Amino acid sequence: MTIKITLPDGSVREYPKGSTSMEVALSISEGLARNVLAANLNGTTVDSSLPIHADSKLELLTWNDTDGKSTFWHSSAHLLAEALESLYPGTKFGIGPAIETGFYYDVDFGEVEFNQDHFKKLEDKILELARLKSEFKRQSVSKLDAIDYFNTKGDEYKLDLLQNLEDGKITFYTQGNFTDLCRGPHIPNTGFIKAVKIMNIAGAYWRGDEKNKMLTRLYAVTFPKQKELDDYLVLLEEAKKRDHRKLGKELDLFYFDEEVGMGLPLWAPKGEALRQNLIEFLKKIQRKAGYQHVASPHIGKKELYITSGHYAKYGQDAYQPIRTPDENEEFFLKPMNCPHHCKIYAAKLKSYKDLPVKYAEFGTVYRYEQHGELHGLTRVRGFTQDDAHIYCRPDQLKEEFLKVVDLVNLVYSKLGFSEFKTQISLRDPNNKEKYLGTDQMWDLAEKAIVEATQERGMKTTTKEGEAAFYGPKLDFMVRDAIGRKWQIGTIQVDYMMPENFDLTYIGSDNQKHRPVMIHRALFGSMERFIALLIENTGGQFPLWLAPVKAIILPISDKFDDYAKKVADQLSDILDVPIELDLRNEKIGRKIRDAEISKIPYMLVVGEKEQNEETIQVRKKHEGDLGSQTVDEFIAMFSEEVKV
RNA sequence: GCUGUUGUAGCUCAGGGGUAGAGCACUUCCUUGGUAAGGAAGAGGUCGGCAGUUCAAUUCUGCUCAACAGCUCCA
């Protein structure tokens, strides 16, 4: 009896029934077999030792495959557990999955105090066990036997896990002296693991529920070669240098102050210059796209948020209300701009011919975020949204939605964000009471989003239960320097708020109609976007964004007057920030400091330049560009500074 | 909010039961120097805050505030 195995390149080979993926690999080449970690059999990742009994599609997985890596890391988690059990007998185990980079294991150390000082010992033990090349052996067990095993061992977390598992589908994996409840698959043996680094230790609730006991989560990463671990650690160091919190301080962009309050960023002149450059850029693009800019106050009466629905949903979690001394009215710091914009819409009667109406505001909002959640500029308590609300007729919804999608793509491409992900967030179909509005409204809104993204051929992931309480949304996410994903842009369809505020327009039939509303932000918030921009550029901003565009460096104080004259000329014509370094320092020092400050142009002036009425242009990172007249520089600069 | 780690000069950090140290930055002076750190001197700190133990606390203990990592949450 033979079976036909189809490989990814389309070739078909015949093998005896019951052959394993490893045997297939061996038949192709010994080198391949040495690197096989697991296999993808008809779309499912399986052990390379699993016998194949029918014609199948087979892909051999190595370290170069995502699934191969995650199998490797998952097996490493088992090895970590084995090492822990051997070093600290009595340790109880929660779950130990592979994650994007590496893996973790949640463990209960009981009385043992485990901290960073133990990392080295643990790493050594893991490598020691790895060298034994213990095979990962799979074994099916009955639920009763499984319960019996962990009862004897006294591992309550595994028993808890077992409760949700179906009898007959339970498997154990054993390597060396360690047996774990696991569905697999695993790498052939522990010998593949050649390098390990315990990265981090943190608390994590059992099953992610804060009512449960907090376990110790050990984050670690392993590699098949020491060199790869070393490279990875270097990469991490590089990423740390791009951290916006570090660069923000170094480049003098923004600060936090305990006395001002946590999560409340202070923008220094250079940071604000950067912010304004971005705001001007967006305003221009938005005006072109038919948006009108509006402005609204930072507080609003409680009644406004009762009408909008925000109070019922988030009133308790917001900042405490501000009370007037006489009228005893309650005001809230605004958490969103939409209620105010709805009021602007309602202020004047609209005709169907007026729609779509697009109000944009760089509106500063305040939200009470849990303090453990605050992080640099990416999650703060006071921030400025590049917010806009589009009020349109239902028949315009899809077109308007598409226009916003196109606008997001345009803006991100100009800023060099190419690696963003898009996610559609829909209502949780099993928990509809969490949301406002009728089923019909939701169906219409969700359909509009799905169709629009399909029309643009966008690769999106869809998540149920992640929608805003008033409507479904399309989010744009990018990664920061250390790989965390953050939502930036968002487009949300809302039938509810026009209803709540009784917004109308007069149709061609001379009757009142209800507009649809689109909430949208391209950057999300200026703060978060700038954080990600800093991390993505490493602080090397393009000329048009740079807070300081050029610095004039006189060779000595004999040329200060000429330097000032040049500075005045440039500022007058270019209308951009130009600095002047009049310190009593040598030119080498001035250049070094300007390079570190990441100022795009350094203009050196000395005796030669003064006599010839020129400047010597030096570009950051690139070095000397030679002498130019001021006019020549202005022409070159003006061309480059265009977005 | 929860768990853990951390908090010393403007910044980065060392130290440690007997009232503090480095580098950079800052101030003054010397130097007038042509492409990534010229030299000297000086000033600067209630060792996050509050309490406790002690003859003595920046160091030990407790509480508190903040930052960091993760968990939970997320408009």
Side-chain angles (χ1 to χ4, degrees):
Chain A
M1 281 282 275
T2 60
I3 49 168
K4 287 197 178 78
I5 299 291
T6 310
L7 295 166
D9 65 0
S11 65
V12 180
R13 291 164 171 249
E14 289 201 13
Y15 293 93
K17 191 171 176 221
S19 296
T20 67
S21 316
M22 189 51 84
E23 284 159 4
V24 173
L26 265 170
S27 77
I28 296 169
S29 95
E30 232 174 275
L32 176 64
R34 265 201 303 278
N35 288 314
V36 166
L37 300 172
N40 184 315
L41 187 68
N42 302 317
T44 315
T45 314
V46 298
D47 292 324
S48 59
S49 59
L50 185 83
I52 306 168
H53 294 296
D55 293 355
S56 297
K57 274 190 175 169
L58 180 73
E59 186 187 353
L60 297 162
L61 299 175
T62 67
W63 178 251
N64 295 323
D65 301 291
T66 312
D67 289 337
K69 273 197 180 79
S70 68
T71 304
F72 185 89
W73 282 326
H74 181 202
S75 299
S76 301
H78 281 238
L79 187 61
L80 170 78
E82 185 184 359
L84 283 172
E85 193 165 68
S86 130
L87 290 171
Y88 313 98
T91 300
K92 294 170 192 167
F93 297 95
I95 55 167
I99 51 178
E100 233 167 285
T101 313
F103 57 95
Y104 67 80
Y105 219 121
D106 284 346
V107 299
D108 182 349
F109 279 105
E111 298 301 308
V112 176
E113 285 223 11
F114 187 89
N115 60 42
Q116 300 186 0
D117 301 336
H118 300 89
F119 284 8
K120 182 76 178 65
K121 196 165 117 190
L122 181 56
E123 287 165 2
D124 290 345
K125 189 71 180 178
I126 289 171
L127 290 179
E128 179 193 322
L129 292 171
R131 280 191 289 267
L132 299 177
K133 298 191 179 163
S134 314
E135 247 179 84
F136 283 89
K137 284 182 222 134
R138 179 190 165 99
Q139 168 194 3
S140 287
V141 290
S142 70
K143 189 159 179 172
L144 273 178
D145 286 348
I147 291 173
D148 190 48
Y149 177 81
F150 285 111
N151 246 330
T152 311
K153 206 178 164 193
D155 207 326
E156 66 232 49
Y157 306 104
K158 294 294 177 190
L159 288 169
D160 191 13
L161 289 174
L162 273 168
Q163 284 197 348
N164 298 325
L165 295 181
E166 214 179 301
D167 198 5
K169 289 190 175 170
I170 297 172
T171 52
F172 279 3
Y173 273 84
T174 302
Q175 95 277 5
N177 295 317
F178 182 77
T179 297
D180 204 351
L181 171 69
C182 183
R183 100 165 67 87
H186 283 284
I187 59 177
N189 67 65
T190 60
F192 286 81
I193 299 164
K194 294 273 169 50
V196 61
K197 175 90 182 160
I198 311 292
M199 300 302 292
N200 206 351
I201 179 169
Y205 301 108
W206 172 237
R207 288 182 175 280
D209 186 337
E210 56 186 315
K211 288 187 221 64
N212 287 337
K213 184 167 180 186
M214 183 165 278
L215 306 181
T216 305
R217 176 170 295 180
L218 287 173
Y219 286 90
V221 63
T222 50
F223 290 92
K225 285 181 189 147
Q226 180 63 37
K227 172 90 170 52
E228 295 196 53
L229 173 60
D230 296 341
D231 290 349
Y232 174 68
L233 293 176
V234 169
L235 202 75
L236 279 188
E237 286 305 309
E238 292 294 316
K240 268 191 204 155
K241 287 184 197 152
R242 298 203 312 270
D243 191 314
H244 76 278
R245 293 166 299 183
K246 184 175 150 66
L247 283 170
K249 221 180 275 179
E250 283 173 8
L251 299 178
D252 198 18
L253 301 176
F254 59 87
Y255 300 94
F256 288 93
D257 182 274
E258 245 182 73
E259 204 170 349
V260 171
M262 51 180 159
L264 300 171
L266 299 169
W267 290 94
K270 286 180 189 167
E272 177 59 10
L274 175 62
R275 242 172 68 108
Q276 288 301 328
N277 289 341
L278 283 164
I279 286 175
E280 282 311 312
F281 162 72
L282 273 191
K283 275 191 176 169
K284 214 164 153 187
I285 285 182
Q286 289 180 163
R287 276 194 294 264
K288 229 181 250 178
Y291 290 78
Q292 298 167 287
H293 290 94
V294 296
S296 58
H298 286 221
I299 62 173
K301 254 166 77 175
K302 179 178 172 181
E303 285 69 19
L304 179 68
Y305 301 109
I306 290 176
T307 302
S308 71
H310 289 110
Y311 183 76
K313 192 83 184 166
Y314 300 108
Q316 300 310 310
D317 299 328
Y319 282 104
Q320 290 306 297
I322 302 160
R323 228 174 276 273
T324 52
D326 296 334
E327 300 90 343
N328 205 30
E329 283 178 329
E330 285 181 19
F331 292 83
F332 282 87
L333 278 167
K334 74 173 172 190
M336 297 187 105
N337 303 299
C338 33
H340 293 81
H341 290 184
C342 285
K343 287 298 188 186
I344 297 176
Y345 178 95
K348 198 176 158 211
L349 190 66
K350 299 282 188 293
S351 150
Y352 72 98
K353 296 175 197 162
D354 295 327
L355 301 189
V357 165
K358 307 178 183 183
Y359 293 143
E361 176 176 8
F362 291 86
T364 305
V365 297
Y366 300 89
R367 301 179 183 179
Y368 180 79
E369 299 285 354
Q370 290 187 14
H371 98 258
E373 196 46 51
L374 300 173
H375 178 90
L377 286 181
T378 50
R379 183 163 244 110
V380 287
R381 285 179 169 175
F383 56 97
T384 302
Q385 294 181 309
D386 63 321
D387 208 0
H389 297 96
I390 298 163
Y391 301 87
C392 64
R393 304 189 306 261
D395 63 286
Q396 295 172 315
L397 175 64
K398 196 162 129 194
E399 188 193 340
E400 287 308 318
F401 193 92
L402 279 171
K403 280 187 192 166
V404 180
V405 169
D406 293 342
L407 202 61
V408 171
N409 283 317
L410 171 74
V411 165
Y412 289 5
S413 72
K414 292 225 178 203
L415 288 160
F417 279 112
S418 50
E419 307 251 319
F420 58 89
K421 295 248 176 350
T422 48
Q423 178 185 311
I424 300 176
S425 297
L426 305 177
R427 179 165 66 148
D428 182 352
N430 303 317
N431 210 351
K432 289 186 178 176
E433 58 282 3
K434 260 172 63 183
Y435 307 92
L436 300 179
T438 64
D439 281 354
Q440 194 208 355
M441 287 174 177
W442 277 87
D443 291 344
L444 277 171
E446 294 187 346
K447 197 166 150 251
I449 293 184
V450 172
E451 282 182 8
T453 52
Q454 279 171 355
E455 203 155 305
R456 281 295 177 271
M458 295 164 71
K459 276 187 206 157
T460 55
T461 53
T462 302
K463 286 206 172 162
E464 289 183 338
E466 299 262 310
F469 71 94
Y470 50 75
K473 55 179 184 167
L474 175 68
D475 290 329
F476 297 79
M477 352 262 271
V478 295
R479 285 176 190 281
D480 66 12
I482 46 177
R484 274 185 291 217
K485 259 191 252 169
W486 296 96
Q487 177 201 315
I488 46 173
T490 181
I491 316 175
Q492 313 181 355
V493 179
D494 184 359
Y495 285 87
M496 204 52 226
M497 215 167 287
E499 193 84 31
N500 293 342
F501 282 99
D502 193 24
L503 302 182
T504 57
Y505 62 89
I506 306 300
S508 56
D509 57 359
N510 202 26
Q511 298 295 307
K512 280 187 175 179
H513 295 274
R514 188 75 73 208
V516 191
M517 195 173 162
I518 300 172
H519 306 243
R520 52 110 279 198
L522 309 180
F523 288 175
S525 84
M526 298 307 297
E527 284 73 9
R528 180 177 292 177
F529 192 84
I530 288 173
L532 292 160
L533 189 64
I534 291 171
E535 304 205 345
N536 276 265
T537 58
Q540 309 282 359
F541 303 117
L543 186 63
W544 70 274
L545 271 176
V548 177
K549 313 286 189 202
I551 186 164
I552 301 175
L553 312 176
I555 295 287
S556 83
D557 56 16
K558 281 190 277 189
F559 313 107
D560 282 3
D561 287 341
Y562 179 63
K564 282 180 202 161
K565 194 181 124 197
V566 172
D568 286 345
Q569 268 178 290
L570 290 176
S571 306
D572 269 5
I573 298 174
L574 293 172
D575 190 27
V576 295
I578 306 282
E579 286 193 347
L580 199 50
D581 188 348
L582 300 181
R583 291 177 306 164
N584 180 9
E585 294 290 351
K586 290 191 180 177
I587 192 65
R589 178 54 182 277
K590 290 183 181 182
I591 285 171
R592 178 185 151 82
D593 288 348
E595 286 278 356
I596 288 171
S597 308
K598 301 184 165 56
I599 299 173
Y601 280 108
M602 284 153 262
L603 310 175
V604 179
V605 294
E607 190 172 8
K608 180 168 164 281
E609 287 74 19
Q610 191 175 44
N611 293 338
E612 296 173 358
E613 294 261 308
T614 58
I615 49 181
Q616 196 246 289
V617 181
R618 186 190 160 98
K619 199 166 185 180
K620 174 188 68 173
H621 254 24
E622 292 173 27
D624 192 357
L625 298 186
S627 287
Q628 294 184 358
T629 63
V630 173
D631 287 344
E632 282 168 345
F633 177 72
I634 286 172
M636 178 183 83
F637 183 98
S638 306
E639 194 51 40
E640 190 188 337
V641 82
K642 287 182 190 161
V643 185

